[in-house]
Amino acid sequence: MEPEPAVVEASRRSEPSGGRLRWFVTVVLCAAFLGLGMSVAILGPTFQDLAKNVNRNISSLSLIFVGRASGFLGGSVIGGVLLDALNHFMLLGVSMLATTVGLFLVPFCKTAVLLIVMMSVFGFSTGILDTGGNVLILALWGDKGAPHMQALHFSFAFGAFVAPLLAKLAVGTTVSAENHTETDLNHSALIQSSGADPGALLGVPDDLNLLWTYAIIGTYIFVVSLFFFALFFKKSSKQEKAKVSAQRSRRAKYHVALLCLLFIFFFFYVGAEVTYGSYVFSFATTHAGMTESEAAGLNSIFWGTFAAVRGLAIFFATCLQPGTMIVLSNIGNLISSLLLVLFSKNRICLWVATSVYGASMATTFPSGVSWIEQYTTIHGKSAAFFVVGAALGEMAIPVVIGILQGEYPDLPVVLYTSLAAAVATAVLFPVMYKLATLPLDRERKERRKSEDQKALLSSSGLNDYEDGNEEDDGEKWNEMDFEVVEMNNGMMSSVIDTSKRS
């Protein structure tokens, strides 16, 4: 056996360290998305407390969601551009540091305008983190990144699940500044002075539980950001990222068309997901006649199955292709949403179909990102493009459905939306698949033609080989013919002897 080249031996020696580094970066990214899920979901259970903190009611403070979504859109777009120009680890570390600052300052906001601006800045930093995390996972693992992509988005879902528990259970009961201890009296004086001054922008919140909730999440995100800065200063990590990215650079023939279709695909998918999760409670109480506790359970089972299947999808992705998982998700979405429309008054059907719908929606986004990476390399701008599509769907579709539900209160508009989105995604994916695989079929045909041409060009060499071995083949055939003749002569002699005896 010939000795292996030195380059191969060096690469094999460096593979364990590079593999450990990739696993470490993946774990840090999952920890970051866990914090991202908590920071995004914490607004829901603390929204009423924030409105009380700025002396507004909930309806007048609804612009806070628009501000956060607008910041998220801007962060996704600008982050996609910056990811192609700056180091990934440094950019993600800075974005998490900005998220930390936003989480610490949000409870101290005493005016609605400042709170909306702070939420816009917070959304901007989370948009960079969301886009950068998806790009970095693809850069690290490439075609083998489906399980890791599922783990990344499961971490987000688990963080969103933990946030309400942290806000209402883990921190404890509400701690008010009206207690009679000396320390609390000092806090009360600060609160009264800040509340007495109408021009005050910052102040200690009345509910210290609100402060501790945001402080805990902010501290966790700050600790994770330190790991990104440590990776930035590690020279080998940058070399590993550049090496992996250089090895997998590819561009599909219909790259732009695929990204546009994926933009529309995620627009409908994420819009339907957020719409159903947001309106299923009001639908259950208004149209299905459920009590508030039953409607809350229906809402919980949707997000519970959503998070559970995202966790199981980490293992499913090791044996199933991303395209297969998307097809299975589309089938589940179609069946469950159709059952919801047909049997909207049946409570058993609502429970079963809602759980199936949540489970079917769980793996679509990470599977879609992993699927597109199989055909074209996703860089920062490309990832930002379809993340913006998802964010627009999250903004636009719930708003439109809210308006339509007000115009047609007797119709289950949210269920019709789920069915329409399921049909749209089920139609879009085969088109994307055909568009992605069509250039591959043409490449295979061209490759076969080139191989045939090479065979024709090398036919002279084959003829020389045949001429050189012609004599050997002739001798072999002559020996075989001689043996056949001897066998025939023996058979003839035996037949003659037998005739003579008879």
Side-chain angles (χ1 to χ4, degrees):
M1 296 179 61
E2 297 181 359
E4 294 184 351
V7 177
V8 177
E9 292 180 356
S11 64
R12 289 186 177 181
R13 286 197 301 268
S14 62
E15 184 177 358
S17 61
R20 287 194 295 268
L21 180 61
R22 287 196 298 173
W23 277 104
F24 178 74
V25 175
T26 303
V27 172
V28 174
L29 281 172
C30 289
F33 265 60
L34 177 66
L36 179 63
M38 289 191 295
S39 60
V40 170
I42 198 62
L43 180 59
T46 60
F47 184 47
Q48 185 175 1
D49 298 327
L50 291 174
K52 187 186 300 183
N53 199 36
V54 296
N55 296 322
R56 292 288 188 91
N57 54 29
I58 293 177
S59 59
S60 63
L61 199 61
S62 59
L63 285 177
I64 191 173
F65 294 99
V66 179
R68 188 181 67 172
S70 302
F72 185 87
L73 284 174
S76 299
V77 174
I78 297 177
V81 176
L82 294 178
L83 282 168
D84 293 336
L86 301 177
N87 182 273
H88 290 179
F89 299 128
M90 187 270 290
L91 186 60
L92 293 180
V94 171
S95 67
M96 295 196 72
L97 192 61
T99 304
T100 301
V101 174
L103 287 171
F104 274 103
L105 291 180
V106 161
F108 290 93
C109 294
K110 285 297 182 178
T111 61
V113 175
L114 181 61
L115 182 61
I116 294 173
V117 171
M118 193 61 62
M119 275 296 171
S120 300
V121 176
F122 171 77
F124 185 87
S125 60
T126 55
I128 295 177
L129 178 60
D130 190 14
T131 305
N134 288 285
V135 172
L136 188 52
I137 280 289
L138 294 176
L140 288 172
W141 297 101
D143 295 341
K144 299 179 181 179
H148 310 285
M149 184 66 69
Q150 298 289 347
L152 190 71
H153 288 271
F154 166 72
S155 300
F156 179 87
F158 187 73
F161 172 76
V162 170
L165 300 178
L166 180 65
K168 299 301 180 183
L169 299 178
V171 178
T173 57
T174 301
V175 181
S176 177
E178 296 178 355
N179 294 331
H180 299 288
T181 61
E182 182 179 357
T183 305
D184 292 334
L185 287 174
N186 293 332
H187 284 298
S188 178
L190 289 174
I191 294 169
Q192 290 175 0
S193 61
S194 63
D197 186 7
L201 298 178
L202 298 174
V204 180
D206 296 337
D207 186 3
L208 296 184
N209 185 21
L210 177 68
L211 176 61
W212 281 111
T213 301
Y214 277 83
I216 291 173
I217 299 176
T219 303
Y220 170 81
I221 293 179
F222 173 73
V223 172
V224 178
S225 69
L226 297 179
F227 287 97
F228 282 110
F229 287 117
L231 288 168
F232 168 68
F233 289 110
K234 185 176 177 59
K235 186 177 181 180
S236 60
S237 64
K238 294 186 288 184
Q239 294 177 348
E240 178 72 16
K241 179 176 67 69
K243 180 183 71 176
V244 174
S245 299
Q247 289 176 351
R248 297 178 302 97
S249 181
R250 71 175 71 88
R251 184 180 177 88
K253 185 176 181 180
Y254 301 101
H255 177 82
V256 177
L258 280 173
L259 289 180
C260 291
L261 290 176
L262 194 65
F263 177 96
I264 301 173
F265 183 87
F266 283 151
F267 176 86
F268 284 109
Y269 158 72
V270 177
E273 172 194 320
V274 174
T275 300
Y276 192 83
S278 301
Y279 288 98
V280 63
F281 180 88
S282 59
F283 159 77
T285 55
T286 304
H287 294 274
M290 290 185 174
T291 62
E292 290 189 357
S293 60
E294 291 176 337
L298 192 67
N299 197 0
S300 299
I301 198 173
F302 172 76
W303 292 114
T305 54
F306 183 88
V309 173
R310 273 203 170 175
L312 295 175
I314 300 174
F315 305 99
F316 294 157
T318 59
C319 57
L320 295 176
Q321 293 294 326
T324 304
M325 297 184 68
I326 294 176
V327 171
L328 294 176
S329 298
N330 287 339
I331 293 174
N333 290 339
L334 281 173
I335 295 176
S336 57
S337 59
L338 182 61
L339 290 176
L340 286 171
V341 171
L342 295 178
F343 305 99
S344 59
K345 300 293 184 180
N346 191 317
R347 296 192 177 187
I348 297 177
C349 182
L350 285 177
W351 284 97
V352 175
T354 298
S355 60
V356 174
Y357 189 64
S360 302
M361 298 287 282
T363 63
T364 303
F365 190 89
S367 297
V369 178
S370 300
W371 175 82
I372 193 67
E373 176 65 17
Q374 293 178 335
Y375 302 97
T376 185
T377 302
I378 299 300
H379 296 292
K381 296 177 183 177
S382 301
F385 186 70
F386 60 72
V387 169
V388 167
L392 285 176
E394 182 179 356
M395 287 179 58
I397 294 182
V399 173
V400 173
I401 297 309
I403 296 174
L404 292 177
Q405 191 66 67
E407 294 291 333
Y408 306 98
D410 297 332
L411 296 178
V413 180
V414 60
L415 302 187
Y416 296 152
T417 304
S418 300
L419 180 59
V423 173
T425 53
V427 172
L428 281 171
F429 182 69
V431 177
M432 291 192 298
Y433 181 81
K434 184 62 178 177
L435 199 63
T437 56
L438 184 61
L440 297 179
D441 296 336
R442 291 181 178 178
E443 289 178 2
R444 290 170 184 170
K445 294 178 181 179
E446 292 177 357
R447 192 177 304 164
R448 290 175 183 175
K449 291 180 181 179
S450 63
E451 291 176 355
D452 294 339
Q453 291 175 356
K454 289 180 181 180
L456 292 174
L457 291 175
S458 61
S459 61
S460 59
L462 292 175
N463 290 333
D464 293 338
Y465 175 79
E466 290 174 359
D467 294 338
N469 293 310
E470 197 174 49
E471 296 179 357
D472 296 336
D473 294 339
E475 291 178 0
K476 292 179 181 179
W477 281 109
N478 288 334
E479 291 177 359
M480 292 175 64
D481 291 337
F482 181 74
E483 292 176 358
V484 172
V485 170
E486 286 185 343
M487 290 175 61
N488 290 334
N489 292 334
M491 292 176 62
M492 289 296 295
S493 60
S494 63
V495 172
I496 293 171
D497 292 339
T498 304
S499 61
K500 288 180 179 179
R501 290 194 191 103
S502 61

